[in-house]
Amino acid sequence: MLHPEQWLVIEAVEAHSDAQHRVLDRIVVVEVCADGAHALRRYRDLRQEHPDRELYFVHTRSPELDILERPWMGVRLSDAPHAAR
């Protein structure tokens, strides 16, 4: 393992959906982070800068990624001010 016991921000370069899970076929490490709070901040910053990229923040203690897909059932926060009209 290249990054044992580390928080990472990763990008899915190739991925597909399988039943209710997102399966990441090929990933790249975008950033190694000092802790979970830093990983979350970097994830949020990168998602804001690059909304088209499939990014995740993970800890390497888990041997497998278990990413559940949930159906979209709401309004995006960026659309919320328009919905109140």
Side-chain angles (χ1 to χ4, degrees):
M1 180 177 287
L2 293 175
H3 303 285
E5 292 297 314
Q6 294 283 323
W7 280 97
L8 307 174
V9 177
I10 62 172
E11 180 177 5
V13 178
E14 293 178 15
H16 68 278
S17 296
D18 182 13
Q20 294 181 350
H21 290 86
R22 189 72 176 148
V23 179
L24 308 184
D25 301 312
R26 192 165 62 107
I27 64 169
V28 293
V29 174
V30 176
E31 189 167 332
V32 178
C33 300
D35 55 42
H38 182 249
L40 176 59
R41 276 193 308 276
R42 287 300 296 144
Y43 165 80
R44 286 181 179 163
D45 291 345
L46 288 166
R47 285 286 300 152
Q48 190 170 26
E49 293 171 29
H50 308 282
D52 55 322
R53 293 170 69 182
E54 189 171 347
L55 298 165
Y56 300 93
F57 66 101
V58 299
H59 194 277
T60 59
R61 84 170 55 93
S62 300
E64 294 182 17
L65 295 174
D66 186 21
I67 303 168
L68 292 176
E69 282 193 323
R70 291 180 264 163
W72 181 249
M73 307 263 303
V75 176
R76 294 182 189 270
L77 290 177
S78 61
D79 294 337
H82 304 292
R85 292 183 193 173

